[in-house]
Amino acid sequence: MQSIVWAQSECRACARRILLILKEKPAPRHHGGRDSVQIHERARALDLGVLGLRLKPLVDDVRQNDFLLRFRIAPYEMTVFADGRAILKGTKDPAVARSLYARYIGA
């Protein structure tokens, strides 16, 4: 319980009421307990159909619907959303997630 209190007291938005953080571009974040990292690239919209066609010869198991595209790059799995966000499963390292995003989605 102590670590939760510490995290909240260190939060700029919660503890210090500095809400400008909401305007900053979010950094990749590890999702605790899920072995995954979320990437926020909302500056560009993605055409998931075009992306899926481009990825099929490069990666394994490409699946998509109107809302997301999911594919595997062993040992990872990436889920990409039309607004540019992505979740990379299989790592806790934001640098790995960023590198794979740049390689397969674009920088």
Side-chain angles (χ1 to χ4, degrees), residues 2-41:
Q2 185 66 21
S3 63
I4 294 172
V5 173
W6 177 84
Q8 291 172 346
S9 69
E10 293 299 313
C11 177
R12 292 192 288 177
C14 296
R16 299 183 208 152
R17 297 291 189 218
I18 300 172
L19 302 178
L20 295 176
I21 190 170
L22 299 175
K23 294 182 181 179
E24 295 175 3
K25 180 180 178 184
R29 295 205 171 233
H30 169 254
H31 286 211
R34 295 188 181 186
D35 196 25
S36 63
V37 176
Q38 182 168 351
I39 306 239
H40 295 272
E41 288 293 334

Side-chain angles (χ1 to χ4, degrees), residues 1 9 13 20 26 37 42 45 47 51 72 76-78 86 89-91:
M1 188 70 168
S9 69
L20 295 176
V37 176
R42 294 186 177 169
D47 183 328
L51 180 61
R72 293 187 44 76
Y76 310 107
E77 179 181 278
M78 187 177 291
K89 289 183 183 177
T91 187

Side-chain angles (χ1 to χ4, degrees), residues 51-64:
L51 180 61
L53 291 173
R54 185 171 57 83
L55 289 174
K56 279 191 182 194
L58 304 174
V59 300
D60 298 324
D61 196 25
V62 177
R63 298 179 192 180
Q64 72 183 78

Side-chain angles (χ1 to χ4, degrees), residues 41-106:
E41 288 293 334
R42 294 186 177 169
R44 84 180 124 155
L46 298 173
D47 183 328
L48 298 178
V50 171
L51 180 61
L53 291 173
R54 185 171 57 83
L55 289 174
K56 279 191 182 194
L58 304 174
V59 300
D60 298 324
D61 196 25
V62 177
R63 298 179 192 180
Q64 72 183 78
N65 61 32
D66 292 340
F67 308 102
L68 60 89
L69 180 136
R70 182 174 290 149
F71 60 94
R72 293 187 44 76
I73 322 124
Y76 310 107
E77 179 181 278
M78 187 177 291
T79 303
V80 183
F81 301 91
D83 66 358
R85 290 176 300 122
I87 297 174
L88 181 76
K89 289 183 183 177
T91 187
K92 297 177 182 177
D93 186 348
V96 170
R98 222 179 282 168
S99 173
L100 290 169
Y101 187 96
R103 176 183 285 168
Y104 293 102
I105 310 305

